[in-house]
Amino acid sequence: MPTTSLLIKNIHTLVLMDAQNQVLRGAYLYAENGEIRRVGSGTARLPKAGRVIDGRHFIALPGLVNTHHHLYQTLTRAYAPAADAKLFDWLRTLYPIWARLDEECAEVAALAGMAELLLSGCTTTSDHHYLFPRGRGHLIDAQIAAARRIGIRFHPTRGSMSVGPRQGGLPPDSVVQGEDQILQDCERLIGKYHDAAPGSMLRVALAPCSPFSVSPELMRASADLARRHGVRLHTHLAETRDEDAYCLSRFGKRPLDLLEEVGWLCGDTWLAHGIHFNRGEVNRLGRAGVGIAHCPSSNMRLGSGIAPVPALRRAGCPVGLGVDGSASNDSSHMLAEARQALLLQRVRYGAGALSVADALRMATVEGARCLGRDDIGSLEPGKRADVAMFDLRGAGYSGAGDAVSALLLCAPAQVDTLLVEGRVVVEGGALQTISLESILRRHRKLAAKLQSEPRSRC
Ligand code: ZN
């Protein structure tokens, strides 16, 4: 394979996100075949490269890492009947609509959501897909096809729901599956797509929707299967007070105790939300090295609460950020999510609770740790060339004294240039891999159809 090389030179501000939190001015970054070979600043002789980008007006940082999402929900954004609901009511309102999803919906929703993520500076995204309406095809395969087409690094998680209303669960029968069928499909997806190699563009994880929407046996079997194949585990936990009450009344246990009992309190697990933990639980999570996908916008939108982010980080948990479902945010803008994290923690714990650098670490290198990756999240030799570049000449940044602070204190901007694995995926603010206009046209049409069909049909 011929070498492809890339040099970004004269970078106004380069945020390395390394262990020393170094920020370089007048810097350069050189990569070959998707891997960073050199970074630095000053008057060093620069290598020749096949592609050269002038970075004099840009702040460059590691591509942002999104650790929790439900891409299909882009089709039900701002759905009026669920606009003011809290989680359980919001779910009950939307399940019948989501029960009509098919492969085309999954693919187009993924393309639209991934486009939004890429344009916000995100180079790696996870997705938690747990809805598999009967006879509607292979929805995760459709998402994977979308990720390959658009050029984003992708961590799909095979979700599941097996406890319907007859067993006291929340989701309707039309979207729950048998547990053997779930495990078979998990194994199929791992075998077909999971790539553990450094620089991997696709890794699969297993993700029962929550410990109370599947049986404890399926939680255990998912953990066994994941460990047999060396893949990670993901689920929702401690999102609402209603969840505490539900688990206590149904199982006589708090959610974290339930999680521990099924063998999930381990370093290969990352949890979405993690709001309602007491002090002892935070310490147990930290000791185990469990990752947390903090989702501030969704938590505010649904009135779920504020995650104890400083305590979780102090305890030893990697805390990443998740834009969460596009119907509970209702956005996939990763830079905006980092800003929300910064502001929300300060509301609860004061101005010193979280620094700009902390919030950016969560959006990059800590998110990468949640996904089990040490090859992305920082810009250092040997890491992958995933780089987000924001143009400092934008109206929103005008007058800013410090470019790094401006990223989060000023209004969230869209990326100008984005590299994934050394490949230019966004240039001049425009996606280079797909026609955004035609995808959005299809997306609007599908969303209107889903939302308008009579609910009695599902
Ligand atoms: Zn979620």
Side-chain angles (χ1 to χ4, degrees):
M1 192 179 72
T3 300
T4 58
S5 56
L6 173 113
L7 173 69
I8 315 172
K9 61 180 188 178
N10 306 323
I11 306 168
H12 180 284
T13 303
L14 178 64
V15 182
L16 300 186
M17 215 53 82
D18 58 356
Q20 296 78 38
N21 256 342
Q22 287 189 78
V23 177
L24 308 181
R25 316 280 171 188
Y28 63 88
L29 181 149
Y30 174 73
E32 281 180 5
N33 293 337
E35 183 184 312
I36 298 172
R37 294 294 173 90
R38 282 175 62 185
V39 291
S41 59
T43 52
R45 252 182 78 142
L46 300 179
K48 288 203 178 344
R51 175 83 196 258
V52 179
I53 297 172
D54 186 356
R56 77 186 59 217
H57 300 296
F58 297 92
I59 178 168
L61 70 159
L64 307 178
V65 178
N66 179 33
T67 59
H68 184 65
H69 206 4
H70 310 287
L71 286 159
Y72 73 89
Q73 292 180 10
T74 57
L75 290 165
T76 53
R77 275 201 249 240
Y79 180 62
D84 302 313
K86 63 178 182 168
L87 180 67
F88 282 13
D89 298 330
W90 176 88
L91 284 170
R92 281 190 197 100
T93 306
L94 284 161
Y95 278 141
I97 296 173
W98 295 338
R100 292 194 286 263
L101 290 175
D102 59 15
E103 275 183 14
E104 186 187 13
C105 289
E107 186 199 352
V108 176
L111 284 168
M114 287 167 176
E116 198 186 354
L117 284 163
L118 290 164
L119 291 169
S120 75
C122 175
T123 49
T124 299
T125 189
S126 176
D127 189 72
H128 188 179
H129 194 90
Y130 53 82
L131 264 147
F132 298 89
R134 256 168 242 141
R136 299 297 177 112
H138 289 308
L139 304 192
I140 292 188
D141 301 61
Q143 292 184 316
I144 290 171
R148 288 178 168 165
R149 196 171 147 203
I150 206 167
I152 198 165
R153 216 181 278 286
F154 192 33
H155 284 231
T157 72
R158 207 299 182 181
S160 49
M161 296 196 293
S162 62
V163 177
R166 268 170 300 184
Q167 296 88 35
L170 212 58
D173 281 332
S174 51
V175 294
V176 300
Q177 290 182 296
E179 299 195 341
D180 287 345
Q181 186 188 1
I182 290 167
L183 291 166
Q184 271 168 23
D185 197 46
C186 289
E187 197 139 31
R188 179 186 73 81
L189 286 165
I190 296 168
K192 188 165 179 190
Y193 296 111
H194 181 69
D195 174 10
S200 165
M201 290 295 287
L202 200 139
R203 289 190 189 167
V204 175
L206 304 188
C209 186
S210 61
F212 50 91
S213 54
V214 300
S215 71
E217 290 73 36
L218 184 64
M219 289 295 289
R220 271 192 214 101
S222 298
D224 289 346
L225 183 61
R227 285 168 189 150
R228 253 198 332 273
H229 291 281
V231 305
R232 293 178 73 77
L233 291 164
H234 181 52
T235 191
H236 293 101
L237 205 84
E239 183 173 0
T240 63
R241 292 268 179 230
D242 287 347
E243 177 187 330
D244 281 356
Y246 182 93
C247 288
L248 283 168
S249 78
R250 195 167 151 76
F251 304 103
K253 290 186 182 67
R254 288 180 51 75
L256 190 70
D257 296 326
L258 201 55
L259 193 83
E260 183 167 28
E261 195 179 275
V262 292
W264 278 55
L265 193 63
C266 296
D268 54 2
T269 297
W270 88 105
L271 304 171
H273 304 295
I275 299 170
H276 299 287
F277 293 129
N278 59 37
R279 196 176 298 173
E281 290 173 337
V282 167
N283 290 334
R284 282 160 64 197
L285 287 158
R287 273 198 301 275
V290 173
I292 305 291
H294 175 44
C295 307
S297 296
S298 168
N299 299 160
M300 286 189 270
R301 151 81 147 93
L302 295 171
S304 302
I306 303 176
V309 167
L312 286 162
R313 296 178 80 224
R314 272 196 309 273
C317 297
V319 180
L321 296 178
V323 297
D324 199 11
S326 295
S328 70
N329 181 324
D330 300 9
S331 150
S332 307
H333 198 300
M334 263 304 288
L335 194 64
E337 208 57 36
R339 184 172 199 262
Q340 296 281 52
L342 180 81
L343 300 180
L344 183 60
Q345 290 301 307
R346 291 181 177 189
V347 169
R348 171 80 173 262
Y349 301 107
L354 205 67
S355 67
V356 167
D358 285 334
L360 288 174
R361 286 193 81 77
M362 289 164 64
T364 53
V365 72
E366 283 189 47
R369 280 179 63 202
C370 285
L371 300 185
R373 299 196 70 138
D374 58 9
D375 58 341
I376 57 171
S378 65
L379 301 178
E380 301 173 83
K383 302 285 172 103
R384 311 314 300 179
D386 289 3
V387 187
M389 299 174 67
F390 292 86
D391 190 339
L392 293 165
R393 292 168 295 181
Y397 291 148
S398 190
D402 171 47
V404 182
S405 303
L407 276 178
L408 296 193
L409 298 182
C410 300
Q414 288 211 327
V415 83
D416 180 274
T417 302
L418 190 79
L419 311 176
V420 184
E421 192 70 359
R423 174 187 186 202
V424 178
V425 173
V426 179
E427 190 174 16
L431 273 170
Q432 302 299 298
T433 45
I434 59 162
S435 159
L436 183 60
E437 207 179 307
S438 67
I439 291 299
L440 295 183
R441 205 177 307 123
R442 281 177 73 196
H443 188 253
R444 284 192 296 270
K445 226 165 140 178
L446 286 171
K449 186 163 170 262
L450 261 191
Q451 294 182 33
S452 64
E453 277 177 8
R455 297 178 66 188
S456 56
R457 275 187 49 191
C458 57

